Amino acid sequence: MVAAVRVNSLKPLTCTPFFSSVNSFNCPWSFVSIPTKHSRLRSLLSQMAATGEVEPQVIDSHLHVWASPQEAEEKYPYFPGQEPSLTGHVEFLLECMEEAGVDGALIVQPINHKFDHSYVTSVLKKFPSTFVGCCLANPAEDGSGIKHLEDLVLKDGYRAVRFNPYLWPSGEKMTNEIGKALFSKAGELGVPVGFMCMKGLLLHLQEIEELCTEFPSTVVLLDHLAFCKPPKNDEERRGYSELLKLSRFPQVYVKFSALFRVSRNPYPYEDLSHVLPQLVSSYGAHRIMWGSDFPYVVAECGYKEAREAVSHLAKQGHLPSSATEWIMGKTIMQLFDGKWSSVAN
């Protein structure tokens, strides 16, 4: 099994002792902060932690939040032409997470606010024990995005960055001078780079391979299985095969996320029951993480159901419960130095 890569923390939010190996998770389990109105639940969880009766935490590796229409009008404007049609404010997310039993999440900067990170930053500051931020890389030709990335990480506490190849100038690739500078800077800062290959992995495969080869210290997250659906033709089989082959780069992780986007079947997406064990066989469960793609998932199958689908698929694929625990939380918790595992007072 290939050893997992751990992301360096610029502002350590860790517990003691640290992980001694991929298979030894020594930090004590705990729970994220819960709103005051749920004080009874907080008390119950504290009692469970004290007696050792604690379930493994569930962490959502991929979701979005954006301002409500009122917030957008008053303080956090949407990017022109990217006004959302779905409800995506953080209060709605917290309700969904509580119902589903999800303890924390990685918030990916939404296109609705584009490079204005002020709303997500406000959420991170308001709920520091619940959320980690993934900013959006700005590949502007003047190179201003490099300083912007540095500020978002060092000043605002973001811990990951997303590369959207469709934001690069027309005709440019993520391997251009700016792209390599951003990717290198991410490695220097110790933040993973998430790739959004919405138009297909094969279109961006050469760029990803080149970046991984040239900058092996930069951790990579492949969003939504790199948009590889269960293959039905030669091109799809090639793309899926390349997804599995990318496991040869030890810095590459896969998000088993937005299942409604990659499955050909309705909920619970049973055509992915063969995909999940194949991913585990190639990458190891310690390099795979579940993500919902909230709020889009709410209208597709529901947030709670998105979480439950993974357990169903894992059982269908005959995965051991230990593998499911890695996928549902331990992988991303290890990647971010136990961010969600500090014991609550």
Side-chain angles (χ1 to χ4, degrees):
M1 181 178 288
V2 179
V5 179
R6 186 191 301 164
V7 178
N8 294 325
S9 174
L10 293 162
K11 298 180 181 179
L13 291 166
T14 59
C15 53
T16 305
F18 287 107
F19 308 99
S20 58
S21 72
V22 169
N23 294 316
S24 61
F25 185 72
N26 298 319
C27 296
W29 295 107
S30 68
F31 293 83
V32 296
S33 61
I34 299 170
T36 304
K37 67 178 180 177
H38 302 301
S39 58
R40 281 187 64 192
L41 181 55
R42 184 198 297 267
S43 176
L44 175 61
L45 294 179
S46 297
Q47 292 174 26
M48 291 174 65
T51 59
E53 300 174 13
V54 180
E55 290 293 320
Q57 286 181 281
V58 176
I59 307 297
D60 188 338
S61 75
H62 194 105
L63 53 75
H64 309 278
V65 292
W66 48 71
S68 67
Q70 182 177 346
E71 290 171 319
E73 185 176 346
E74 295 175 354
K75 193 172 183 179
Y76 304 110
Y78 304 129
F79 188 80
Q82 295 290 348
E83 297 80 5
S85 59
L86 299 173
T87 299
H89 56 76
V90 70
E91 290 79 14
F92 179 44
L93 169 60
L94 288 169
E95 291 175 9
C96 292
M97 289 174 65
E98 183 182 346
E99 179 190 8
V102 174
D103 302 293
L106 179 67
I107 298 177
V108 179
Q109 170 71 8
I111 197 64
N112 311 85
H113 292 292
K114 206 168 182 181
F115 302 124
D116 178 359
H117 290 70
S118 57
Y119 179 73
V120 171
T121 300
S122 73
V123 171
L124 299 178
K125 290 181 178 178
K126 189 174 182 180
F127 303 101
S129 62
T130 306
F131 299 118
V132 168
C134 174
C135 59
L136 181 62
N138 181 354
E141 292 177 289
D142 62 3
S144 58
I146 300 167
K147 179 64 165 59
H148 190 213
L149 170 61
E150 194 167 38
D151 287 345
L152 286 167
V153 173
L154 297 178
K155 295 180 181 180
D156 295 324
Y158 284 78
R159 301 280 295 274
V161 57
R162 187 180 217 191
F163 274 32
N164 179 342
Y166 317 112
L167 294 178
W168 258 252
S170 178
E172 294 289 329
K173 293 186 176 183
M174 294 183 290
T175 48
N176 68 1
E177 183 180 355
I178 296 298
K180 287 188 175 183
L182 284 166
F183 196 81
S184 175
K185 177 61 69 174
E188 176 188 322
L189 294 170
V191 297
V193 173
F195 286 109
M196 186 184 75
C197 304
M198 184 172 283
K199 297 181 181 179
L201 174 60
L202 292 179
L203 184 62
H204 308 291
L205 178 63
Q206 185 176 355
E207 297 163 81
I208 294 171
E209 290 178 327
E210 183 176 337
L211 290 170
C212 286
T213 300
E214 190 168 340
F215 305 100
S217 64
T218 303
V219 173
V220 166
L221 310 175
L222 298 176
D223 295 346
H224 314 331
L225 289 82
F227 287 84
C228 291
K229 294 189 175 186
K232 282 197 168 184
N233 57 49
D234 289 342
E235 183 177 5
E236 290 177 349
R237 277 188 282 273
R238 180 176 165 240
Y240 183 68
S241 175
E242 294 295 345
L243 169 63
L244 299 181
K245 288 179 184 177
L246 283 173
S247 64
R248 71 187 184 275
F249 295 103
Q251 79 251 47
V252 176
Y253 290 67
V254 176
K255 288 186 181 181
F256 192 67
S257 54
L259 304 187
F260 64 92
R261 296 189 187 277
V262 293
S263 174
R264 302 180 189 279
N265 292 353
Y267 181 86
Y269 316 121
E270 291 199 350
D271 57 341
L272 300 178
S273 64
H274 302 293
V275 171
L276 184 55
Q278 289 172 346
L279 288 171
V280 171
S281 177
S282 294
Y283 285 88
H286 64 285
R287 289 164 63 194
I288 302 170
M289 59 191 81
W290 166 71
S292 68
D293 204 18
F294 173 94
Y296 303 104
V297 72
V298 175
E300 296 291 336
C301 68
Y303 187 79
K304 182 172 181 284
E305 289 75 11
R307 174 200 167 167
E308 293 170 346
V310 182
S311 297
H312 172 76
L313 294 172
K315 289 178 181 177
Q316 292 287 99
H318 306 291
L319 293 180
S321 59
S322 58
T324 306
E325 288 179 12
W326 278 101
I327 295 165
M328 297 305 295
K330 288 175 70 174
T331 295
I332 191 169
M333 289 172 71
Q334 176 177 275
L335 190 61
F336 290 103
D337 293 331
K339 157 65 182 172
W340 293 274
S341 62
S342 56
V343 178
N345 293 324

